[in-house]
């Protein structure tokens, strides 16, 4: 893409999220969300492939619907309440409507069906942006709404974890797998959102690190299906070494960073006596772990049947070092080694 | 404790920086030195039972034999893996040793942890290196299935354990073992009693394994490379027993009738798994099922919660650790020569490898609990404890002991005696490395005859 255009789009993306994060009025928050949506659409559609166009269209329709619902509910609430402050909403119906709109934007169950299709249709870099950056703005808005009906968030959270686990089981396309993994992780974040905003932020942060590391790794291996992962050992042996650890961190195994959010979320839930919720969430995490394990089997732990030419692929201008791939060591370090540093990490957020 | 933990951690840079020629001798030597230091843990003169005490790490007579066993096993694993890794590229050899050292570190911290949370995190940490060992360095296609079974059987029960530990922390305010042992019974409503008890212990029962949930063990033991099999059999199963003994302190007043189904499963499992040993064709599978049959006996002993039961459990865990590890090393020597684990194909090796036959004999005799070895001590104490608990258990334990002797003898006779197959006539003679390996397994077992107080824990 034309570098000037890229700069404009990425800046708009950042601007949109920053606008939402710094707003107290619903109109400005909506504005930020819309700017973000519009900025990412050319990035999604730049490939001129029917699937990319379809993904961009679906993304636009979904996000526009959500934003319109958001605006409608916000204005209704303002009409009834007299002010349009994000943090002091009181009408239960419109609060729920706004929450559902934001959850549609995030792609949580049962409003998740667009996520796998959209992330599958776009390139890996754009999928990274959709999975990580675009989640920040709606999440911050959710944090600020006070009077959400508790069972709503709990049921949607648990449903997301279950659907994220089950949906990913039958996939071979890596971007779809990462979409379902996204849904599952956001479900965990949603579970704890109403009880502890600090833990939700921490969980989101760790999720962003882990997902970034995974997307950048897949971009470096140029792999979009499970079969294409099997030649990673020929291209990047070091990545082959570390990839299982990264995937098991996504699955939430100690001593990797991914365990920390799960541990603290379960701790908070048990302290508040939500033990059935904690148990269901914990067991549903095993579903996600099974497809992460499958991926780590194909990357490192087994050697697929292949022939010699496949192992010696044409590598033109290799190693390709994009700006994003220089972030890989940092993302990987944060994905793997953050668990012992959790107390200090938590004090930064609380 | 740091004088063991830091050198173990630094074995990782050692394995990456050592020159190719010196990789195995260096790591072997340094792990032996650390083992020597770890023997100091066996001496416990504190009145409160906890020695080497600091807020996070401590040893007591229950954990120190297991810790010493863990430290003893690292050099033995390195010694055993030398041959089959010689054909791997150097980087993979270094990765292998790094995995073994990581496993060792997490095991030491698990056994020495004073906080149950640290124990849990380290318990789960041992899963990753073992999974990688089994699925990457195993030899057959079934290893992937084995890794999946291993990981999911353990995780499906340990996630409820995590929730139980967190709920326990909520109720008592602490998870430190130093404090919990003094707390007394925990007020729990009777309706959640059963769930509480089950979720606390199920993770350890699966790890031990208990008979109904033992399916992961034959898969994992058979498909793992020799170091994986050794560490699985010798130490990882004992994590389950150790965890159970620690958790029972907290749960004890609740558990009288709740443990009946598990004890019955355990006793039936002794009979079942011993019997299936007699029908195995794969040698490693036989030893894996033999492991199961010994460990379900340990599980039954811990579940009845009498002092003799706990003592016998600990003695049998240590003795079984050494014996089972030796038993896995022995068919591995055959496997490295013939690349087959089938018993009919590796018969009559006494004619060809006579010195190895000595080790086969001693190890099989240890497995069948010949007096005066600690295997018998443990089994006898457990059988007596179970007999005191209920007279009818003697049927199961007696029959189980009989079948254990039968299959141990069967294993010895099948592999050592009998006609020599034609394909086995020209095999490499036993190396001194293999003799050293087996000596180091069996010598502690023989020495423990003279001083069993080191391994009988604090309950006696």
């Amino acid at each position: 893409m034309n570098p000037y255009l890229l700069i404009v789009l990425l800046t708009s993306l950042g601007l949109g999220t920053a606008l939402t994060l710094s707003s107290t009025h619903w109109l400005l928050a909506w504005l930020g969300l819309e700017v973000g949506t519009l900025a990412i659409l050319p990035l999604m559609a730049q490939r001129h492939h029917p699937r990319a166009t379809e993904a961009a269209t679906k993304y636009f329709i979904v996000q526009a619907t959500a934003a319109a619902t958001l605006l409608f509910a916000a204005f209704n609430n303002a009409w009834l309440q007299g002010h349009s402050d994000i943090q002091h909403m009181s009408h239960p119906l419109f609060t729920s409507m706004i929450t559902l709109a934001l959850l549609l934007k995030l792609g949580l169950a049962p409003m998740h069906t667009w996520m796998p299709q959209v992330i599958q249709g776009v390139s890996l870099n754009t999928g990274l942006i959709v999975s990580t950056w675009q989640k920040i703005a709606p999440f911050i808005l959710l944090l600020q709404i006070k009077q959400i009906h508790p069972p709503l968030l709990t049921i949607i959270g648990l449903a997301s974890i279950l659907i994220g686990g089950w949906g990913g089981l039958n996939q071979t396309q890596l971007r779809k797998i990462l979409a379902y993994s996204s849904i599952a992780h956001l479900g965990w974040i949603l579970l704890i959102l109403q009880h502890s905003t600090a833990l939700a932020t921490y969980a989101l942060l760790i999720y962003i690190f882990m997902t970034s590391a995974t997307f950048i790794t897949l971009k470096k291996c140029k792999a979009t299906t499970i079969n294409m992962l099997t030649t990673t050992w020929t291209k990047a042996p070091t990545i082959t070494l570390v990839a299982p650890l990264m995937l098991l961190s996504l699955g939430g195994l100690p001593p990797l960073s991914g365990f920390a959010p799960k541990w603290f979320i379960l701790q908070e839930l048990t302290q508040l006596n939500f033990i059935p919720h904690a148990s269901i969430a914990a067991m549903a995490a095993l579903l996600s772990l099974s497809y992460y394990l499958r991926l780590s089997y194909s990357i490192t732990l087994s050697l697929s049947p292949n022939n010699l030419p496949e192992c010696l692929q044409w590598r033109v201008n290799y190693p390709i070092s994009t700006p994003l791939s220089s972030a890989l060591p940092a993302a990987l370090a944060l994905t793997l080694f953050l668990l012992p540093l959790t107390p200090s990490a938590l004090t930064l957020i609380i | 404790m740091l004088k063991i933990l830091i050198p173990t951690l630094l074995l990782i840079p050692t394995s990456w920086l050592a020159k190719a020629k010196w990789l195995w001798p260096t790591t072997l030597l340094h792990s032996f030195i650390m083992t020597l230091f770890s023997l100091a843990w066996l001496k416990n003169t504190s009145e409160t039972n906890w020695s080497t005490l600091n807020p996070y790490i401590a040893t007591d007579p229950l954990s120190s034999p297991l810790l010493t066993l863990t430290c003893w096993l690292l050099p033995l694993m390195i010694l055993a893996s030398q041959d089959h890794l010689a054909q791997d590229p150097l980087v993979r050899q270094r990765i292998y040793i790094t995995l073994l050292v990581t496993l060792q570190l997490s095991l030491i911290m698990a056994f020495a942890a004073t906080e149950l949370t640290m124990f849990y995190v380290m318990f789960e940490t041992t899963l990753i290196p073992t999974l990688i060992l089994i699925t990457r360095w195993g030899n057959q296609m079934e290893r992937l299935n084995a890794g999946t079974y291993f990981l999911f059987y353990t995780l499906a029960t340990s996630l409820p354990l995590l929730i139980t530990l967190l709920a326990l922390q909520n109720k008592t305010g602490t998870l430190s073992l130093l404090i919990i042992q003094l707390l007394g019974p925990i007020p729990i409503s009777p309706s959640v009693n059963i769930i509480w008890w089950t979720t606390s212990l199920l993770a350890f029962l699966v790890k031990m394994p208990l008979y109904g949930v033992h399916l992961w063990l034959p898969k994992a033991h058979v498909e793992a490379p020799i170091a994986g099999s050794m560490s699985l059999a010798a130490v990882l199963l004992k994590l389950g027993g150790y965890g159970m003994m620690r958790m029972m302190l907290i749960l004890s007043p609740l558990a009288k009738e709740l443990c009946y189904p598990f004890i019955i499963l355990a006793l039936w499992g002794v009979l079942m798994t011993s019997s299936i040993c007699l029908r195995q064709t794969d040698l490693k599978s036989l030893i894996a099922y033999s492991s199961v049959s010994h460990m379900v006996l340990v599980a039954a002993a811990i579940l009845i919660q009498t002092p003799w039961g706990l003592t016998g459990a600990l003695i049998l865990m240590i003795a079984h650790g050494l014996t089972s590890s030796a038993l896995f090393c022995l068919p591995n020597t055959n496997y490295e020569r013939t690349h087959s684990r089938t018993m009919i194909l590796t018969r009559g090796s006494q004619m060809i490898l006579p010195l190895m036959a000595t080790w086969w004999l001693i190890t099989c005799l240890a497995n069948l609990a010949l007096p005066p070895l600690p295997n018998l001590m443990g089994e006898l104490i457990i059988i007596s404890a179970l007999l005191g608990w209920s007279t009818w258990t003697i049927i199961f334990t007696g029959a189980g002991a009989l079948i254990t002797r039968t299959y141990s003898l069967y294993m010895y006779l099948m592999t050592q005696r009998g006609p020599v197959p034609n394909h086995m006539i020209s095999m490499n003679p036993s190396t001194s490395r293999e003799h050293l390996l087996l000596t180091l397994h069996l010598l502690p077992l023989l020495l423990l005859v003279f001083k069993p107080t080191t391994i009988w824990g604090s309950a006696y």
Side-chain angles (χ1 to χ4, degrees):
Chain A
M1 187 179 252
N2 188 351
Y4 298 118
L5 201 51
L6 195 60
I7 292 178
V8 168
L9 289 173
L10 289 178
T11 316
S12 312
L13 208 52
L15 179 68
T17 307
L19 209 52
T20 313
L21 293 189
S22 52
S23 63
T24 50
H25 192 284
W26 271 117
L27 187 61
L28 215 53
W30 169 82
L31 188 63
L33 288 174
E34 287 287 84
V35 166
T37 309
L38 289 174
I40 204 176
L41 285 176
L43 286 172
M44 293 173 102
Q46 67 180 317
R47 264 172 59 219
H48 298 300
H49 184 278
R51 189 162 283 171
T53 319
E54 179 187 332
T57 318
K58 279 183 186 157
Y59 187 74
F60 174 67
I61 292 180
V62 163
Q63 302 284 315
T65 314
T69 318
L70 186 89
L71 199 61
F72 172 67
F75 279 162
N76 265 307
N77 184 55
W79 180 259
L80 291 172
Q81 209 174 341
H83 62 83
S84 195
D85 209 8
I86 296 182
Q87 294 185 351
H88 300 111
M89 294 186 63
S90 60
H91 197 285
L93 169 64
F94 296 116
T95 313
S96 303
M97 213 189 264
I98 287 189
T99 313
L100 282 174
L102 287 170
L103 297 180
L104 174 59
K105 261 196 182 298
L106 282 173
L108 287 166
M111 296 85 69
H112 66 284
T113 38
W114 60 273
M115 268 270 271
Q117 299 167 22
V118 164
I119 299 193
Q120 174 63 29
V122 297
S123 66
L124 279 167
N125 284 340
T126 318
L128 170 63
I129 301 178
V130 171
S131 292
T132 54
W133 186 256
Q134 297 290 72
K135 310 289 180 208
I136 297 182
F139 169 75
I140 296 289
L141 287 176
L142 270 176
L143 276 185
Q144 295 177 318
I145 303 173
K146 291 295 183 252
Q147 306 252 6
I148 310 180
H149 191 45
L152 179 71
L153 287 183
T154 314
I155 293 177
I156 291 192
L158 287 177
S160 301
I161 304 177
L162 280 167
I163 290 184
W166 251 307
L169 283 179
N170 205 24
Q171 305 296 337
T172 54
Q173 295 285 337
L174 291 174
R175 286 167 289 179
K176 280 211 174 90
I177 289 182
L178 285 175
Y180 281 107
S181 127
S182 220
I183 297 174
H185 278 104
L186 286 171
W188 276 92
I189 296 173
L190 206 64
L191 263 186
I192 200 65
L193 195 67
Q194 45 189 317
H195 307 300
S196 164
T197 55
L199 275 182
T201 317
Y202 181 63
L204 183 72
L205 211 56
I206 300 282
Y207 156 73
I208 288 179
F209 294 146
M210 296 193 294
T211 315
S212 315
T214 316
F215 268 103
I216 300 175
T217 307
L218 293 181
K219 179 80 185 171
K220 251 201 142 27
C221 308
K222 295 212 237 2
T224 53
T225 67
I226 300 188
N227 288 334
M228 287 158 79
L229 277 177
T230 56
T231 49
T232 314
W233 64 276
T234 63
K235 295 177 204 164
T238 322
I239 288 188
T240 314
L241 202 60
V242 189
L245 294 179
M246 186 183 70
L247 288 164
L248 292 176
S249 181
L250 266 173
L253 282 188
L256 306 163
S257 317
F259 177 63
K262 293 203 164 57
W263 175 13
F264 288 109
I265 292 177
L266 290 174
Q267 182 169 35
E268 193 65 33
L269 287 176
T270 46
Q271 266 174 358
L272 298 165
N273 269 325
F274 286 122
I275 299 192
H277 307 112
S279 317
I280 297 177
M283 299 310 277
L286 285 181
L287 289 166
S288 311
L289 182 65
S290 66
Y291 54 76
Y292 297 133
L293 191 65
R294 186 185 301 159
L295 289 184
S296 56
Y297 279 174
S298 0
I299 299 181
T300 319
L301 300 173
S302 66
L303 200 59
S304 295
N306 49 25
N307 41 19
L308 196 57
E310 193 180 308
C311 298
L312 303 168
Q313 296 180 4
W314 285 107
R315 292 171 207 173
V316 182
N317 297 329
Y318 188 79
I320 298 178
S321 171
T322 63
L324 214 51
S325 67
S326 48
L328 181 60
L332 266 177
L334 289 166
T335 314
L336 299 181
F337 302 124
L338 215 50
L339 184 64
L341 294 173
T342 310
S344 32
L346 277 177
T347 51
L348 281 177
I349 298 181
I350 291 179
Chain B
M1 179 64 62
L2 274 183
K3 63 179 172 290
I4 307 279
L5 280 177
I6 293 189
T8 312
L9 182 64
L10 290 175
L11 261 186
I12 301 180
T14 309
S15 64
W16 282 96
L17 295 173
K19 288 195 275 229
K21 204 169 58 153
W22 290 101
L23 175 62
W24 292 95
T26 313
T27 45
L28 186 63
L29 174 67
H30 289 112
S31 45
F32 263 128
I33 295 177
M34 289 180 307
T35 308
L36 196 62
F37 287 150
S38 76
L39 289 173
W41 286 327
L42 288 173
K43 182 171 177 59
N44 191 314
T45 50
S46 158
E47 285 164 3
T48 58
N49 268 344
W50 295 100
S51 57
T52 63
L53 188 62
N54 66 62
Y56 311 108
I57 301 247
T59 62
D60 77 335
L62 173 57
S63 59
S64 60
L66 293 165
L67 275 168
T68 314
L69 179 65
T70 312
C71 292
W72 184 254
L73 219 68
L74 179 64
L76 264 48
M77 288 196 278
I78 295 179
L79 203 52
S81 320
Q82 242 172 300
D83 198 39
H84 76 88
L85 280 185
Q87 294 117 20
D88 268 21
L90 186 62
V91 176
R92 283 199 210 135
Q93 295 182 13
R94 299 191 201 267
I95 296 174
Y96 196 85
I97 297 181
T98 309
L99 278 173
L100 291 181
V101 172
T102 322
L103 183 58
Q104 174 82 345
L105 262 176
S106 33
L107 280 169
I108 296 180
M109 287 207 270
F111 281 123
T114 51
E115 289 273 341
L116 281 175
T117 325
M118 166 103 132
F119 173 73
Y120 176 82
V121 172
M122 289 301 141
F123 176 81
E124 298 271 293
T125 309
T126 60
L127 291 178
I128 298 184
T130 318
L131 175 76
I132 299 182
L133 275 178
I134 296 177
T135 50
R136 175 61 185 80
W137 273 279
N139 287 312
Q140 274 76 30
M141 191 188 73
E142 290 82 14
R143 70 188 197 275
L144 299 176
N145 206 14
T148 314
Y149 262 70
F150 169 66
L151 194 67
F152 281 94
Y153 262 68
T154 312
L155 278 178
T157 45
S158 70
L159 282 173
L161 172 67
L162 176 63
I163 298 180
T164 312
L165 285 178
L166 293 171
L168 185 64
Q169 183 172 31
N170 203 18
K171 271 204 176 326
T172 60
T174 176
L175 276 181
S176 173
L177 285 169
L178 309 171
I179 302 181
I180 281 189
Q181 63 186 3
L182 304 167
L183 273 181
I186 300 181
I188 303 175
S189 68
S191 52
V192 296
N193 216 354
I194 300 178
I195 305 178
W196 185 274
W197 192 91
T198 315
T199 50
S200 318
L201 290 186
L202 204 58
F204 303 118
L205 286 172
V206 165
K207 200 89 176 138
M208 279 212 78
L210 186 65
Y211 175 58
V213 288
H214 69 289
L215 279 180
W216 64 273
L217 191 140
K219 288 184 161 48
H221 277 77
V222 168
E223 303 303 330
I226 181 61
S229 290
M230 284 168 72
S231 71
L232 266 172
V235 192
L236 287 171
L237 302 186
K238 317 314 184 242
L239 262 180
Y242 174 74
M244 261 172 72
M245 287 204 248
R246 291 287 191 213
M247 288 300 283
M248 286 290 204
L249 279 176
I250 311 166
L251 302 172
S252 46
L254 318 168
K256 292 246 171 32
E257 288 91 21
L258 284 169
C259 54
Y260 287 178
F262 296 102
I263 300 184
I264 294 173
L265 261 181
L267 291 173
W268 187 240
V270 176
L271 277 185
M272 283 289 106
T273 48
S274 324
S275 316
I276 207 79
C277 282
L278 289 168
R279 297 294 293 169
Q280 291 297 324
T281 52
D282 182 342
L283 195 49
K284 263 181 118 169
S285 192
L286 196 157
I287 301 169
Y289 276 107
S290 145
S291 265
V292 179
S293 88
H294 284 111
M295 292 309 283
V296 291
L297 205 55
V298 173
I302 300 178
L303 282 166
I304 62 177
Q305 295 172 66
T306 60
W308 269 36
L310 298 176
T311 310
L314 186 57
I315 300 180
L316 190 56
M317 283 206 286
I318 305 292
H320 170 262
L322 290 166
T323 314
S324 207
S325 183
L327 270 178
F328 275 110
C329 290
L330 287 166
N332 187 54
T333 62
N334 277 339
Y335 184 80
E336 282 168 4
R337 288 167 174 75
T338 60
H339 284 288
S340 163
R341 293 194 298 256
T342 319
M343 272 203 287
I344 327 174
L345 296 178
T346 55
R347 277 195 298 181
S349 26
Q350 182 167 17
M351 281 291 128
I352 312 168
L353 303 172
L355 285 177
M356 200 52 75
T358 321
W359 307 125
W360 271 104
L361 180 64
I362 301 181
T363 319
C364 287
L365 290 178
N367 198 29
L368 59 87
L370 192 74
L373 293 171
N375 304 67
L376 177 75
M377 273 188 241
E379 269 194 33
L380 210 52
I381 297 180
I382 293 178
I383 293 179
S384 317
L386 282 170
L387 190 63
W389 182 77
S390 158
T391 327
W392 296 102
T393 58
I394 193 69
I395 304 174
F396 296 98
T397 49
L402 179 66
I403 305 182
T404 305
R405 284 145 180 76
T406 313
Y407 71 68
S408 300
L409 214 49
Y410 170 71
M411 178 168 54
Y412 175 68
L413 293 173
M414 272 301 273
T415 53
Q416 302 304 113
R417 303 299 166 99
V420 181
N422 284 330
H423 63 266
M424 267 177 62
I425 297 180
S426 60
M427 285 211 296
N428 289 330
S430 314
T431 58
S432 43
R433 176 188 65 87
E434 291 163 351
H435 289 305
L436 178 65
L437 183 62
L438 287 155
T439 316
L440 288 173
H441 275 109
L442 298 173
L443 200 60
L445 209 56
L446 296 173
L447 289 174
L448 278 173
V449 173
F450 299 107
K451 183 105 170 119
T453 55
T454 38
I455 57 170
W456 68 25
S458 49
Y460 197 76

